[in-house]
Amino acid sequence: MAEPLSNAGPTRPACVACGLWGGCVSPGTLPFIPKGYTGQLLVVGETPRKDEDARGLLRQLLRDAGVRDVGVSFVPTVRCQPPKNGTPTMKQIRCCRPFLLMAIDTLAPRATLGMGGSALRAFTNDGEDANVTRSRARRIP
């Protein structure tokens, strides 16, 4: 199993490298892991601030579908909010990608759900093909 999820160690240099760390309101945002997490689902969103409203709506939709809160964890594609609530660049995504992969490895969810183009680019490590519509329901190795 991978090291515990924290802001120390090998994840911090990547944060410094992306350029967001110094101006971020809440640098190094950690995944949201509910107490008693069952590992049912890991949702990968775009950025910490942009995901807050969407996370609440998605959580309600999952509850309505019978998925308990303890079954769902959330992790952002990048750990710091880009300026002006912008979309993360591929450089920023790649700097945070090791942390995302470590979160997936550590949490070991039964399923991982990517929400949007930034999550798709993080999963594929490809800045060119981030077309969510063409990639819908596609398994990514």
Side-chain angles (χ1 to χ4, degrees), residues 66-131:
V67 178
R68 294 182 17 219
D69 285 350
V70 295
V72 184
S73 182
F74 293 87
V75 64
T77 301
V78 295
R79 298 175 66 202
C80 297
Q81 177 65 42
K84 299 180 183 174
N85 211 20
T87 300
T89 65
M90 196 62 213
K91 176 186 176 184
Q92 293 162 345
I93 290 170
R94 284 188 174 133
C95 287
C96 286
R97 190 169 188 264
F99 182 79
L100 173 63
L101 296 176
M102 181 175 45
I104 293 169
D105 183 51
T106 301
L107 296 172
R110 282 182 230 122
T112 304
L113 173 65
M115 302 295 288
S118 294
L120 177 60
R121 289 195 315 271
F123 287 145
T124 62
N125 199 24
D126 183 357
E128 299 300 317
D129 187 24
N131 187 306

Short mmCIF file of all heavy atoms in Angstrom, two decimals, residues 66-131:
data_model
loop_
_atom_site.label_atom_id
_atom_site.label_comp_id
_atom_site.label_asym_id
_atom_site.label_seq_id
_atom_site.Cartn_x
_atom_site.Cartn_y
_atom_site.Cartn_z
N GLY A 66 -29.28 5.32 -3.81
CA GLY A 66 -29.05 4.29 -2.81
C GLY A 66 -27.60 4.11 -2.40
O GLY A 66 -27.26 3.17 -1.69
N VAL A 67 -26.71 5.00 -2.84
CA VAL A 67 -25.29 4.92 -2.46
C VAL A 67 -25.09 5.73 -1.18
O VAL A 67 -25.38 6.92 -1.14
CB VAL A 67 -24.38 5.46 -3.59
CG1 VAL A 67 -22.92 5.40 -3.17
CG2 VAL A 67 -24.61 4.69 -4.88
N ARG A 68 -24.61 5.06 -0.16
CA ARG A 68 -24.39 5.73 1.13
C ARG A 68 -23.18 6.65 1.07
O ARG A 68 -22.22 6.40 0.35
CB ARG A 68 -24.20 4.68 2.22
CG ARG A 68 -25.45 3.86 2.44
CD ARG A 68 -25.33 2.82 3.55
NE ARG A 68 -24.21 3.04 4.43
CZ ARG A 68 -23.46 2.05 4.91
NH1 ARG A 68 -23.71 0.81 4.61
NH2 ARG A 68 -22.45 2.31 5.72
N ASP A 69 -23.19 7.72 1.86
CA ASP A 69 -22.10 8.69 1.89
C ASP A 69 -20.75 8.05 2.22
O ASP A 69 -19.72 8.47 1.69
CB ASP A 69 -22.38 9.79 2.92
CG ASP A 69 -23.42 10.79 2.43
OD1 ASP A 69 -23.79 10.75 1.25
OD2 ASP A 69 -23.86 11.61 3.25
N VAL A 70 -20.73 7.04 3.08
CA VAL A 70 -19.46 6.41 3.45
C VAL A 70 -18.85 5.62 2.29
O VAL A 70 -17.70 5.20 2.37
CB VAL A 70 -19.60 5.49 4.69
CG1 VAL A 70 -19.96 6.30 5.92
CG2 VAL A 70 -20.57 4.37 4.43
N GLY A 71 -19.58 5.45 1.22
CA GLY A 71 -19.07 4.72 0.07
C GLY A 71 -18.38 5.59 -0.95
O GLY A 71 -17.77 5.10 -1.90
N VAL A 72 -18.43 6.93 -0.77
CA VAL A 72 -17.94 7.84 -1.80
C VAL A 72 -16.88 8.79 -1.24
O VAL A 72 -17.09 9.47 -0.25
CB VAL A 72 -19.10 8.68 -2.39
CG1 VAL A 72 -18.59 9.54 -3.54
CG2 VAL A 72 -20.23 7.78 -2.87
N SER A 73 -15.74 8.82 -1.92
CA SER A 73 -14.67 9.75 -1.60
C SER A 73 -14.45 10.67 -2.80
O SER A 73 -14.73 10.28 -3.94
CB SER A 73 -13.39 8.98 -1.29
OG SER A 73 -12.35 9.85 -0.92
N PHE A 74 -13.96 11.87 -2.56
CA PHE A 74 -13.73 12.85 -3.63
C PHE A 74 -12.28 13.29 -3.60
O PHE A 74 -11.73 13.56 -2.52
CB PHE A 74 -14.62 14.08 -3.43
CG PHE A 74 -16.08 13.79 -3.60
CD1 PHE A 74 -16.84 13.35 -2.53
CD2 PHE A 74 -16.70 13.97 -4.83
CE1 PHE A 74 -18.20 13.08 -2.68
CE2 PHE A 74 -18.04 13.71 -4.98
CZ PHE A 74 -18.80 13.27 -3.91
N VAL A 75 -11.67 13.41 -4.78
CA VAL A 75 -10.30 13.91 -4.90
C VAL A 75 -10.25 14.87 -6.10
O VAL A 75 -10.83 14.57 -7.14
CB VAL A 75 -9.27 12.77 -5.03
CG1 VAL A 75 -9.46 11.96 -6.29
CG2 VAL A 75 -7.85 13.29 -4.95
N PRO A 76 -9.60 16.02 -5.94
CA PRO A 76 -9.49 16.94 -7.07
C PRO A 76 -8.36 16.53 -8.01
O PRO A 76 -7.39 15.91 -7.59
CB PRO A 76 -9.18 18.29 -6.42
CG PRO A 76 -8.49 17.94 -5.14
CD PRO A 76 -9.09 16.62 -4.70
N THR A 77 -8.48 16.90 -9.28
CA THR A 77 -7.44 16.63 -10.26
C THR A 77 -6.17 17.39 -9.90
O THR A 77 -5.08 16.85 -9.98
CB THR A 77 -7.91 17.06 -11.67
OG1 THR A 77 -9.08 16.33 -11.98
CG2 THR A 77 -6.86 16.78 -12.71
N VAL A 78 -6.31 18.65 -9.52
CA VAL A 78 -5.19 19.43 -9.01
C VAL A 78 -5.50 19.86 -7.59
O VAL A 78 -6.65 20.03 -7.23
CB VAL A 78 -4.87 20.66 -9.90
CG1 VAL A 78 -4.40 20.22 -11.27
CG2 VAL A 78 -6.03 21.60 -10.00
N ARG A 79 -4.47 20.01 -6.79
CA ARG A 79 -4.66 20.24 -5.37
C ARG A 79 -4.83 21.71 -4.99
O ARG A 79 -5.16 22.02 -3.85
CB ARG A 79 -3.49 19.63 -4.61
CG ARG A 79 -3.43 18.12 -4.84
CD ARG A 79 -2.23 17.50 -4.21
NE ARG A 79 -2.32 17.62 -2.77
CZ ARG A 79 -1.28 17.56 -1.97
NH1 ARG A 79 -0.08 17.40 -2.45
NH2 ARG A 79 -1.44 17.67 -0.67
N CYS A 80 -4.59 22.61 -5.94
CA CYS A 80 -4.74 24.05 -5.69
C CYS A 80 -5.62 24.65 -6.76
O CYS A 80 -5.58 24.23 -7.92
CB CYS A 80 -3.38 24.76 -5.71
SG CYS A 80 -2.24 24.22 -4.43
N GLN A 81 -6.39 25.65 -6.39
CA GLN A 81 -7.28 26.31 -7.34
C GLN A 81 -6.49 27.25 -8.25
O GLN A 81 -5.79 28.12 -7.76
CB GLN A 81 -8.33 27.12 -6.57
CG GLN A 81 -9.26 27.91 -7.45
CD GLN A 81 -10.14 27.02 -8.30
OE1 GLN A 81 -10.64 26.03 -7.82
NE2 GLN A 81 -10.30 27.36 -9.55
N PRO A 82 -6.57 27.07 -9.57
CA PRO A 82 -5.90 28.02 -10.48
C PRO A 82 -6.50 29.42 -10.33
O PRO A 82 -7.64 29.58 -9.90
CB PRO A 82 -6.21 27.46 -11.87
CG PRO A 82 -6.47 26.01 -11.65
CD PRO A 82 -7.15 25.95 -10.30
N PRO A 83 -5.72 30.46 -10.70
CA PRO A 83 -6.22 31.83 -10.58
C PRO A 83 -7.53 32.04 -11.33
O PRO A 83 -7.76 31.44 -12.38
CB PRO A 83 -5.10 32.67 -11.22
CG PRO A 83 -3.89 31.80 -11.19
CD PRO A 83 -4.38 30.39 -11.24
N LYS A 84 -8.37 32.89 -10.78
CA LYS A 84 -9.66 33.27 -11.38
C LYS A 84 -10.55 32.06 -11.67
O LYS A 84 -11.29 32.04 -12.64
CB LYS A 84 -9.44 34.09 -12.64
CG LYS A 84 -8.71 35.39 -12.38
CD LYS A 84 -8.51 36.18 -13.64
CE LYS A 84 -7.71 37.43 -13.32
NZ LYS A 84 -7.36 38.19 -14.50
N ASN A 85 -10.43 31.03 -10.81
CA ASN A 85 -11.27 29.84 -10.95
C ASN A 85 -11.10 29.18 -12.32
O ASN A 85 -12.02 28.59 -12.87
CB ASN A 85 -12.74 30.21 -10.71
CG ASN A 85 -13.51 29.07 -10.10
OD1 ASN A 85 -12.94 28.15 -9.53
ND2 ASN A 85 -14.82 29.12 -10.23
N GLY A 86 -9.89 29.29 -12.88
CA GLY A 86 -9.62 28.78 -14.22
C GLY A 86 -9.50 27.27 -14.29
O GLY A 86 -9.44 26.58 -13.28
N THR A 87 -9.44 26.79 -15.51
CA THR A 87 -9.23 25.37 -15.78
C THR A 87 -7.74 25.07 -15.64
O THR A 87 -6.91 25.82 -16.15
CB THR A 87 -9.70 25.02 -17.20
OG1 THR A 87 -11.09 25.33 -17.29
CG2 THR A 87 -9.48 23.56 -17.52
N PRO A 88 -7.38 23.98 -14.96
CA PRO A 88 -5.97 23.65 -14.79
C PRO A 88 -5.29 23.38 -16.14
O PRO A 88 -5.90 22.80 -17.04
CB PRO A 88 -5.98 22.38 -13.95
CG PRO A 88 -7.36 22.19 -13.48
CD PRO A 88 -8.27 23.01 -14.31
N THR A 89 -4.03 23.80 -16.22
CA THR A 89 -3.25 23.51 -17.42
C THR A 89 -2.75 22.06 -17.35
O THR A 89 -2.78 21.44 -16.29
CB THR A 89 -2.03 24.44 -17.51
OG1 THR A 89 -1.15 24.14 -16.41
CG2 THR A 89 -2.43 25.90 -17.49
N MET A 90 -2.28 21.56 -18.49
CA MET A 90 -1.75 20.19 -18.51
C MET A 90 -0.52 20.10 -17.61
O MET A 90 -0.32 19.09 -16.94
CB MET A 90 -1.43 19.77 -19.95
CG MET A 90 -1.25 18.29 -20.11
SD MET A 90 -2.75 17.38 -19.68
CE MET A 90 -2.07 15.89 -19.01
N LYS A 91 0.29 21.16 -17.54
CA LYS A 91 1.46 21.15 -16.64
C LYS A 91 1.00 21.00 -15.20
O LYS A 91 1.56 20.22 -14.43
CB LYS A 91 2.27 22.43 -16.81
CG LYS A 91 3.44 22.51 -15.84
CD LYS A 91 4.16 23.83 -15.91
CE LYS A 91 5.24 23.86 -14.83
NZ LYS A 91 5.94 25.12 -14.76
N GLN A 92 -0.02 21.76 -14.80
CA GLN A 92 -0.53 21.68 -13.43
C GLN A 92 -1.10 20.29 -13.15
O GLN A 92 -0.89 19.72 -12.08
CB GLN A 92 -1.57 22.77 -13.20
CG GLN A 92 -0.98 24.16 -13.23
CD GLN A 92 -1.99 25.26 -13.45
OE1 GLN A 92 -3.13 25.02 -13.84
NE2 GLN A 92 -1.58 26.49 -13.20
N ILE A 93 -1.83 19.75 -14.11
CA ILE A 93 -2.39 18.40 -13.95
C ILE A 93 -1.28 17.37 -13.79
O ILE A 93 -1.34 16.51 -12.91
CB ILE A 93 -3.32 18.05 -15.13
CG1 ILE A 93 -4.59 18.89 -15.06
CG2 ILE A 93 -3.65 16.56 -15.15
CD1 ILE A 93 -5.47 18.81 -16.29
N ARG A 94 -0.25 17.48 -14.61
CA ARG A 94 0.86 16.52 -14.53
C ARG A 94 1.63 16.65 -13.22
O ARG A 94 2.12 15.65 -12.70
CB ARG A 94 1.78 16.67 -15.73
CG ARG A 94 1.19 16.07 -16.97
CD ARG A 94 2.16 16.04 -18.13
NE ARG A 94 1.55 15.32 -19.24
CZ ARG A 94 1.56 15.76 -20.49
NH1 ARG A 94 2.16 16.90 -20.81
NH2 ARG A 94 0.98 15.05 -21.44
N CYS A 95 1.76 17.85 -12.70
CA CYS A 95 2.44 18.03 -11.42
C CYS A 95 1.67 17.38 -10.27
O CYS A 95 2.26 16.84 -9.34
CB CYS A 95 2.65 19.52 -11.13
SG CYS A 95 3.94 20.27 -12.13
N CYS A 96 0.34 17.41 -10.35
CA CYS A 96 -0.49 16.82 -9.30
C CYS A 96 -0.83 15.35 -9.56
O CYS A 96 -1.34 14.67 -8.67
CB CYS A 96 -1.79 17.62 -9.14
SG CYS A 96 -1.56 19.20 -8.32
N ARG A 97 -0.58 14.88 -10.76
CA ARG A 97 -0.96 13.52 -11.14
C ARG A 97 -0.38 12.44 -10.21
O ARG A 97 -1.08 11.50 -9.84
CB ARG A 97 -0.57 13.25 -12.58
CG ARG A 97 -1.15 11.96 -13.12
CD ARG A 97 -0.94 11.89 -14.64
NE ARG A 97 -1.65 10.75 -15.19
CZ ARG A 97 -1.08 9.57 -15.42
NH1 ARG A 97 0.20 9.39 -15.17
NH2 ARG A 97 -1.81 8.59 -15.90
N PRO A 98 0.89 12.54 -9.78
CA PRO A 98 1.40 11.52 -8.85
C PRO A 98 0.57 11.44 -7.57
O PRO A 98 0.34 10.36 -7.03
CB PRO A 98 2.84 11.96 -8.57
CG PRO A 98 3.22 12.76 -9.77
CD PRO A 98 1.95 13.46 -10.19
N PHE A 99 0.12 12.60 -7.08
CA PHE A 99 -0.71 12.60 -5.88
C PHE A 99 -2.05 11.92 -6.16
O PHE A 99 -2.55 11.14 -5.35
CB PHE A 99 -0.94 14.02 -5.37
CG PHE A 99 -1.73 14.03 -4.10
CD1 PHE A 99 -1.15 13.74 -2.89
CD2 PHE A 99 -3.09 14.30 -4.12
CE1 PHE A 99 -1.89 13.71 -1.73
CE2 PHE A 99 -3.84 14.27 -2.96
CZ PHE A 99 -3.23 13.98 -1.76
N LEU A 100 -2.64 12.21 -7.33
CA LEU A 100 -3.91 11.58 -7.70
C LEU A 100 -3.75 10.06 -7.79
O LEU A 100 -4.55 9.30 -7.24
CB LEU A 100 -4.42 12.13 -9.03
CG LEU A 100 -5.64 11.44 -9.64
CD1 LEU A 100 -6.86 11.59 -8.74
CD2 LEU A 100 -5.92 12.03 -11.02
N LEU A 101 -2.67 9.61 -8.44
CA LEU A 101 -2.44 8.17 -8.57
C LEU A 101 -2.18 7.53 -7.21
O LEU A 101 -2.64 6.41 -6.94
CB LEU A 101 -1.28 7.91 -9.52
CG LEU A 101 -1.51 8.35 -10.97
CD1 LEU A 101 -0.25 8.12 -11.80
CD2 LEU A 101 -2.72 7.66 -11.58
N MET A 102 -1.49 8.25 -6.32
CA MET A 102 -1.26 7.74 -4.97
C MET A 102 -2.59 7.64 -4.21
O MET A 102 -2.82 6.67 -3.48
CB MET A 102 -0.30 8.65 -4.21
CG MET A 102 0.00 8.15 -2.81
SD MET A 102 1.24 9.11 -1.90
CE MET A 102 0.77 10.78 -2.20
N ALA A 103 -3.47 8.63 -4.39
CA ALA A 103 -4.78 8.58 -3.73
C ALA A 103 -5.58 7.38 -4.22
O ALA A 103 -6.20 6.67 -3.42
CB ALA A 103 -5.55 9.88 -3.99
N ILE A 104 -5.56 7.13 -5.52
CA ILE A 104 -6.28 5.98 -6.08
C ILE A 104 -5.70 4.68 -5.52
O ILE A 104 -6.43 3.79 -5.09
CB ILE A 104 -6.25 5.99 -7.62
CG1 ILE A 104 -7.06 7.18 -8.15
CG2 ILE A 104 -6.77 4.67 -8.18
CD1 ILE A 104 -6.88 7.45 -9.63
N ASP A 105 -4.37 4.59 -5.48
CA ASP A 105 -3.72 3.39 -4.96
C ASP A 105 -4.01 3.18 -3.47
O ASP A 105 -4.31 2.09 -3.03
CB ASP A 105 -2.21 3.48 -5.20
CG ASP A 105 -1.47 2.25 -4.77
OD1 ASP A 105 -1.88 1.13 -5.17
OD2 ASP A 105 -0.47 2.37 -4.02
N THR A 106 -3.93 4.26 -2.70
CA THR A 106 -4.14 4.17 -1.25
C THR A 106 -5.60 3.86 -0.90
O THR A 106 -5.86 3.02 -0.05
CB THR A 106 -3.72 5.50 -0.57
OG1 THR A 106 -2.35 5.75 -0.87
CG2 THR A 106 -3.91 5.43 0.93
N LEU A 107 -6.53 4.53 -1.56
CA LEU A 107 -7.94 4.34 -1.25
C LEU A 107 -8.51 3.06 -1.85
O LEU A 107 -9.51 2.54 -1.35
CB LEU A 107 -8.76 5.55 -1.70
CG LEU A 107 -8.41 6.86 -1.00
CD1 LEU A 107 -9.12 8.02 -1.65
CD2 LEU A 107 -8.74 6.78 0.49
N ALA A 108 -7.90 2.58 -2.93
CA ALA A 108 -8.29 1.33 -3.59
C ALA A 108 -9.81 1.22 -3.80
O ALA A 108 -10.44 0.26 -3.36
CB ALA A 108 -7.78 0.13 -2.79
N PRO A 109 -10.40 2.19 -4.50
CA PRO A 109 -11.85 2.13 -4.72
C PRO A 109 -12.22 1.01 -5.70
O PRO A 109 -11.42 0.62 -6.54
CB PRO A 109 -12.17 3.49 -5.33
CG PRO A 109 -10.91 3.86 -6.05
CD PRO A 109 -9.80 3.33 -5.19
N ARG A 110 -13.44 0.50 -5.57
CA ARG A 110 -13.94 -0.49 -6.54
C ARG A 110 -14.16 0.16 -7.90
O ARG A 110 -14.03 -0.49 -8.93
CB ARG A 110 -15.22 -1.12 -6.03
CG ARG A 110 -14.94 -2.17 -4.97
CD ARG A 110 -16.21 -2.85 -4.48
NE ARG A 110 -16.12 -2.78 -3.02
CZ ARG A 110 -16.99 -2.21 -2.23
NH1 ARG A 110 -18.09 -1.70 -2.70
NH2 ARG A 110 -16.79 -2.16 -0.95
N ALA A 111 -14.52 1.44 -7.90
CA ALA A 111 -14.74 2.18 -9.15
C ALA A 111 -14.24 3.61 -8.98
O ALA A 111 -14.30 4.16 -7.89
CB ALA A 111 -16.23 2.19 -9.51
N THR A 112 -13.74 4.17 -10.08
CA THR A 112 -13.30 5.56 -10.09
C THR A 112 -14.06 6.27 -11.19
O THR A 112 -14.13 5.79 -12.31
CB THR A 112 -11.78 5.64 -10.36
OG1 THR A 112 -11.10 4.86 -9.38
CG2 THR A 112 -11.29 7.07 -10.29
N LEU A 113 -14.62 7.42 -10.84
CA LEU A 113 -15.42 8.19 -11.77
C LEU A 113 -14.78 9.54 -12.01
O LEU A 113 -14.56 10.30 -11.07
CB LEU A 113 -16.83 8.38 -11.19
CG LEU A 113 -17.80 9.31 -11.93
CD1 LEU A 113 -18.13 8.73 -13.30
CD2 LEU A 113 -19.06 9.49 -11.10
N GLY A 114 -14.42 9.83 -13.26
CA GLY A 114 -13.84 11.12 -13.61
C GLY A 114 -14.93 12.08 -14.02
O GLY A 114 -15.79 11.74 -14.83
N MET A 115 -14.88 13.28 -13.49
CA MET A 115 -15.88 14.30 -13.77
C MET A 115 -15.25 15.43 -14.58
O MET A 115 -14.62 16.32 -14.02
CB MET A 115 -16.46 14.85 -12.47
CG MET A 115 -17.09 13.81 -11.57
SD MET A 115 -18.52 13.02 -12.26
CE MET A 115 -19.69 14.34 -12.16
N GLY A 116 -15.39 15.38 -15.90
CA GLY A 116 -14.94 16.48 -16.75
C GLY A 116 -13.62 16.26 -17.45
O GLY A 116 -12.92 15.25 -17.25
N GLY A 117 -13.27 17.24 -18.27
CA GLY A 117 -12.09 17.16 -19.10
C GLY A 117 -10.78 17.12 -18.33
O GLY A 117 -9.84 16.43 -18.73
N SER A 118 -10.69 17.84 -17.21
CA SER A 118 -9.45 17.82 -16.43
C SER A 118 -9.20 16.43 -15.85
O SER A 118 -8.06 15.95 -15.84
CB SER A 118 -9.49 18.86 -15.32
OG SER A 118 -9.52 20.16 -15.86
N ALA A 119 -10.23 15.79 -15.35
CA ALA A 119 -10.07 14.44 -14.83
C ALA A 119 -9.68 13.48 -15.96
O ALA A 119 -8.82 12.62 -15.78
CB ALA A 119 -11.36 13.97 -14.17
N LEU A 120 -10.29 13.64 -17.12
CA LEU A 120 -9.94 12.79 -18.27
C LEU A 120 -8.48 12.98 -18.65
O LEU A 120 -7.76 12.00 -18.87
CB LEU A 120 -10.85 13.12 -19.46
CG LEU A 120 -10.58 12.36 -20.75
CD1 LEU A 120 -10.73 10.86 -20.56
CD2 LEU A 120 -11.52 12.86 -21.85
N ARG A 121 -8.01 14.23 -18.68
CA ARG A 121 -6.59 14.47 -19.01
C ARG A 121 -5.67 13.89 -17.95
O ARG A 121 -4.60 13.38 -18.26
CB ARG A 121 -6.35 15.97 -19.20
CG ARG A 121 -6.97 16.49 -20.48
CD ARG A 121 -6.47 17.86 -20.90
NE ARG A 121 -6.37 18.86 -19.86
CZ ARG A 121 -7.36 19.69 -19.50
NH1 ARG A 121 -8.53 19.65 -20.10
NH2 ARG A 121 -7.16 20.57 -18.56
N ALA A 122 -6.08 13.93 -16.69
CA ALA A 122 -5.25 13.34 -15.62
C ALA A 122 -5.20 11.82 -15.74
O ALA A 122 -4.14 11.22 -15.56
CB ALA A 122 -5.80 13.74 -14.25
N PHE A 123 -6.33 11.21 -16.06
CA PHE A 123 -6.35 9.74 -16.21
C PHE A 123 -5.50 9.28 -17.38
O PHE A 123 -4.77 8.30 -17.28
CB PHE A 123 -7.77 9.22 -16.41
CG PHE A 123 -8.63 9.26 -15.17
CD1 PHE A 123 -9.98 9.52 -15.27
CD2 PHE A 123 -8.11 9.02 -13.91
CE1 PHE A 123 -10.80 9.56 -14.15
CE2 PHE A 123 -8.91 9.05 -12.79
CZ PHE A 123 -10.26 9.31 -12.90
N THR A 124 -5.61 9.97 -18.50
CA THR A 124 -4.92 9.53 -19.72
C THR A 124 -3.52 10.12 -19.84
O THR A 124 -2.73 9.65 -20.66
CB THR A 124 -5.71 9.94 -20.97
OG1 THR A 124 -5.81 11.36 -21.03
CG2 THR A 124 -7.08 9.29 -20.99
N ASN A 125 -3.21 11.16 -19.05
CA ASN A 125 -1.95 11.88 -19.13
C ASN A 125 -1.74 12.44 -20.54
O ASN A 125 -0.64 12.48 -21.06
CB ASN A 125 -0.77 11.01 -18.71
CG ASN A 125 0.45 11.82 -18.34
OD1 ASN A 125 0.36 12.99 -17.98
ND2 ASN A 125 1.61 11.21 -18.43
N ASP A 126 -2.84 12.83 -21.16
CA ASP A 126 -2.83 13.31 -22.54
C ASP A 126 -3.54 14.66 -22.60
O ASP A 126 -4.73 14.75 -22.34
CB ASP A 126 -3.54 12.29 -23.43
CG ASP A 126 -3.51 12.65 -24.90
OD1 ASP A 126 -3.00 13.73 -25.26
OD2 ASP A 126 -4.01 11.85 -25.70
N GLY A 127 -2.81 15.69 -22.97
CA GLY A 127 -3.40 17.01 -23.06
C GLY A 127 -4.14 17.28 -24.34
O GLY A 127 -4.84 18.26 -24.48
N GLU A 128 -4.01 16.39 -25.30
CA GLU A 128 -4.62 16.61 -26.61
C GLU A 128 -6.06 16.10 -26.66
O GLU A 128 -6.95 16.77 -27.15
CB GLU A 128 -3.79 15.91 -27.70
CG GLU A 128 -2.37 16.43 -27.81
CD GLU A 128 -2.31 17.91 -28.15
OE1 GLU A 128 -3.08 18.35 -29.02
OE2 GLU A 128 -1.48 18.61 -27.54
N ASP A 129 -6.29 14.88 -26.21
CA ASP A 129 -7.61 14.27 -26.35
C ASP A 129 -8.37 14.31 -25.04
O ASP A 129 -8.32 13.38 -24.26
CB ASP A 129 -7.49 12.83 -26.85
CG ASP A 129 -8.84 12.22 -27.16
OD1 ASP A 129 -9.79 12.98 -27.44
OD2 ASP A 129 -8.96 10.99 -27.12
N ALA A 130 -9.04 15.42 -24.79
CA ALA A 130 -9.82 15.55 -23.56
C ALA A 130 -11.29 15.72 -23.89
O ALA A 130 -12.01 16.44 -23.23
CB ALA A 130 -9.30 16.73 -22.75
N ASN A 131 -11.75 15.04 -24.92
CA ASN A 131 -13.14 15.14 -25.33
C ASN A 131 -13.97 14.18 -24.49
O ASN A 131 -13.94 12.97 -24.71
CB ASN A 131 -13.29 14.84 -26.81
CG ASN A 131 -14.68 15.11 -27.31
OD1 ASN A 131 -15.65 14.60 -26.76
ND2 ASN A 131 -14.79 15.90 -28.35
#
